[in-house]
Amino acid sequence: MKAPVLLRGKLALITACVVAVAIGGISVVTWLVTEHNLRTQLDKSMLASLPAPVVAPPAPGLRREFKLRCDVGVPSAGLQQVLQGIQLLKLDGSTCAPPGVDPAVTAPGDDQASTTTFRDGQTASGTPVRVLLVPLDNGDVLILSRSLVEIDDTLTALAGVLVGVAVLGTLLVAGLGLWLTRRALAPMERLTETVEHIARTEDLTTPVTVSGQDEVGRLGRAFTAMTRALAESRRRQRNLVNDAAHELRTPLTSLRTNIDLLVRSERTGRELPQRGDVLDRLQAQSQEFSDLVTELVVLARDDRELAREPVEVAEVIDRAVKRARSRAHDHVFDVDRSPWRTTGDAAALERSVLNLLDNAVKFAPAGSTITVRSRPGWLTVTDEGPGLPVEHREVAFERFWRAPDARGLPGSGLGLAIVADIVAVHGGSARFVPNGRGASVRLNLPTIVGG
C-alpha cells in the first residue's frame, strides 16, 4: 500500500516547486538580458570599427565609397587585426576579402541591403559570427563579421551557473521548507496524536495541549471546548440514567406488587378485598410513570432543538395559568404581568412556568392564592404553602431531589430541574427568593431591546 504524503511534505514540495519556478524564471530572464547586452555591445563595437569613409556622413557633392584591395600579399599582423572579418560584396555577386580573412558566407538578399543591417551567420570555416551589412553608394555592400564564439561560451557558462544555482536553491529551499513546516506543524501533529488517542480510547478527559494564537492554537482550543462539552453531555446523560434507574426502582417495585396481587387473585379465584384500592393505585402509578417519561424526554432533549425566536412572555404566562387553572379548581390565581419579550422557545418557557404553577398547587392548601408577577426581565410564582427551608433552596433544582416531607406526595422530583435547565438554556436563572409565607421562585430572563 502506498504510504500517504504528510501535510508537511506537501507544503515543502509546494514551496520547492514555487521557488523552482521563481528561480527558473529569474534565470531565464537573466540569460536573455545577458545575451541581449552582449550582442548589443558587439553590434556597437562593429559599428565603431567601420572605416571612416563609411561611417562619416558624406559632404555635399561627395559620395560614400570604400575601396578594398584584395590582390595584395598577406598583410602584417597589425593590418590583419584591422582587416579581420572584412569583405566586400560587389554588384555582380562576387566577394572580395583580404588574404587571411575567413569570410562570412553571404546569404540571399545581402546584395539588396539598402540600410545598415545586422544578422547572424557563419564563416566559410563554419565559425558562428555576427554580420554587419553596410550598403555603399556605388552599389557594393561592405560586410563586417565578428565571431560569436566568446559570447556563446559566456552564455553557456552562465547557463550552467544558473542551472546549478536553481537546482541547489530548490534543494536548499525544499530542505529548509521541510524543516520549517515540521516545526510549524508540530502543534498540529500533537493535536492529531491527541485526537487519535481520544478516538481510540474514547477518553474525553484527555487534555489537548496546544497553545498560540494562530490557526492551530484556535483549532486546539476549539477541540478542547468540544471535548469538554461532549464529556459534560456524557456525564449528564450518565447521571440522568443512574438517577432515573434509582428513582424508578421503588415505584416499579410497588407497581409490580400490586400487579402480582391482582394476578394471584385471578389465578386462585379469591376475591381481593382491596381490589378497588389496588386498581386506583395502579392507575395513579401509571400516570406517574407517564409523567416521568415525559419529563425525562424533556431533560434528555438537545438544547439545539429549541427554537430561537421572539417570545411574548405575557402570552406564555397566560397560557400556563389557563392550563394550571383547568386542573386546580380549588385554588385562586392572582396574575399581574407587564408585556415584554425574550428570545427563545415559547413552548419550553410555557412548560417551565407551568411546572412552577403545578408545584405551587401541590404544596399550597386548597382555597389558597397562587400569585404570579412579571415585569421586563423577570417573573415570580408564589404560593401560600409551608415554604422551603433555606438550606434546601439550592439543591431543590437538582434532578430527582424531593423535600423530606414531600416523599409521600405524587411527583418525580424533576419539575424544578426542568425549570432550571430551560431557563439556563435561554440565558437566564432560577432561584428561590425570600417570602413571608410559602415559597417564591423567581425566573430571570434576558429581554429583547425595545421589546
Side-chain angles (χ1 to χ4, degrees):
M1 182 177 180
K2 187 177 180 180
V5 180
L6 298 180
L7 178 60
R8 58 174 177 264
K10 292 180 180 179
L11 292 177
L13 181 60
I14 292 173
T15 304
C17 291
V18 171
V19 172
V21 171
I23 295 178
I26 295 174
S27 300
V28 170
V29 172
T30 301
W31 191 89
L32 292 175
V33 170
T34 302
E35 181 194 27
H36 174 74
N37 291 337
L38 291 176
R39 285 179 172 270
T40 300
Q41 292 177 3
L42 180 60
D43 292 346
K44 289 180 179 179
S45 67
M46 293 175 67
L47 287 173
S49 66
L50 284 174
V54 177
V55 177
L62 297 180
R63 301 178 61 192
R64 185 173 63 175
E65 295 182 354
F66 180 77
K67 300 294 184 179
L68 185 64
R69 295 288 304 274
C70 301
D71 54 353
V72 299
V74 178
S76 62
L79 183 59
Q80 177 69 34
Q81 183 68 26
V82 173
L83 298 177
Q84 178 185 5
I86 190 171
Q87 63 189 92
L88 194 63
L89 178 61
K90 298 180 179 181
L91 281 173
D92 58 3
S94 62
T95 59
C96 171
V101 173
D102 188 10
V105 177
T106 58
D110 284 354
D111 55 349
Q112 304 297 324
S114 59
T115 60
T116 301
T117 306
F118 285 97
R119 67 173 178 82
D120 290 337
Q122 64 179 9
T123 64
S125 63
T127 303
V129 291
R130 184 71 167 164
V131 177
L132 172 61
L133 304 176
V134 181
L136 300 176
D137 292 339
N138 60 2
D140 295 341
V141 177
L142 179 64
I143 300 177
L144 290 181
S145 61
R146 291 292 183 270
S147 175
L148 291 175
V149 173
E150 292 185 0
I151 293 179
D152 291 342
D153 291 344
T154 301
L155 293 176
T156 301
L158 178 61
V161 171
L162 293 176
V163 170
V165 170
V167 172
L168 291 177
T170 302
L171 294 177
L172 179 61
V173 169
L176 184 60
L178 183 60
W179 179 73
L180 290 176
T181 53
R182 180 172 297 177
R183 285 179 58 88
L185 295 179
M188 179 69 76
E189 187 173 356
R190 292 195 298 268
L191 177 61
T192 303
E193 292 175 353
T194 303
V195 173
E196 291 175 346
H197 172 76
I198 294 175
R200 184 173 58 256
T201 63
E202 297 186 1
D203 183 8
L204 297 176
T205 61
T206 303
V208 180
T209 55
V210 177
S211 59
Q213 300 299 322
D214 55 2
E215 290 79 0
V216 178
R218 290 172 53 193
L219 178 61
R221 287 188 292 274
F223 189 82
T224 299
M226 181 187 68
T227 54
R228 287 177 179 173
L230 290 175
E232 177 64 18
S233 176
R234 177 182 290 182
R235 185 191 65 81
R236 292 178 59 185
Q237 290 180 358
R238 186 185 298 111
N239 291 342
L240 178 63
V241 172
N242 292 337
D243 293 342
H246 179 269
E247 293 296 324
L248 287 173
R249 188 175 294 112
T250 299
L252 279 175
T253 302
S254 176
L255 183 64
R256 183 175 181 179
T257 300
N258 291 327
I259 293 176
D260 288 343
L261 288 175
L262 290 176
V263 170
R264 188 179 304 167
S265 173
E266 290 295 328
R267 289 179 176 178
T268 59
R270 296 179 182 179
E271 184 68 24
L272 186 63
Q274 307 89 1
R275 182 180 179 85
D277 295 338
V278 171
L279 291 176
D280 291 340
R281 288 198 298 270
L282 285 175
Q283 186 177 17
Q285 289 168 350
S286 63
Q287 183 61 42
E288 288 184 16
F289 272 113
S290 177
D291 295 340
L292 178 59
V293 170
T294 301
E295 291 172 341
L296 288 174
V297 170
V298 172
L299 285 175
R301 183 171 55 179
D302 195 334
D303 297 342
R304 292 174 295 181
E305 298 177 8
L306 298 178
R308 289 288 185 269
E309 56 189 11
V311 177
E312 295 289 346
V313 179
E315 297 179 2
V316 169
I317 294 175
D318 291 343
R319 290 195 298 268
V321 169
K322 182 179 179 180
R323 293 175 60 183
R325 187 180 282 127
S326 65
R327 49 197 187 194
H329 302 286
D330 52 352
H331 287 78
V332 178
F333 292 86
D334 179 12
V335 181
D336 181 12
R337 82 286 187 283
S338 298
W340 60 283
R341 296 191 302 167
T342 187
T343 301
D345 190 294
L349 291 173
E350 180 182 341
R351 181 172 185 82
S352 65
V353 176
L354 182 60
N355 282 3
L356 294 180
L357 294 174
D358 288 342
N359 210 51
V361 169
K362 181 167 58 177
F363 290 100
S368 63
T369 300
I370 296 174
T371 305
V372 180
R373 296 289 182 265
S374 176
R375 296 292 182 269
W378 60 269
L379 67 90
T380 59
V381 176
T382 306
D383 60 51
E384 297 179 352
L388 189 66
V390 177
E391 63 272 14
H392 293 159
R393 291 180 180 177
E394 291 293 332
V395 296
F397 292 98
E398 295 181 359
R399 296 173 180 176
F400 299 107
W401 185 89
R402 305 183 70 184
D405 55 354
R407 299 290 183 181
L409 296 177
S412 61
L414 292 176
L416 291 180
I418 293 176
V419 172
D421 281 0
I422 292 176
V423 174
V425 169
H426 286 76
S429 61
R431 61 187 178 89
F432 281 89
V433 294
N435 184 47
R437 181 183 177 186
S440 180
V441 180
R442 175 176 175 130
L443 303 184
N444 295 308
L445 290 168
T447 60
I448 296 179
V449 178

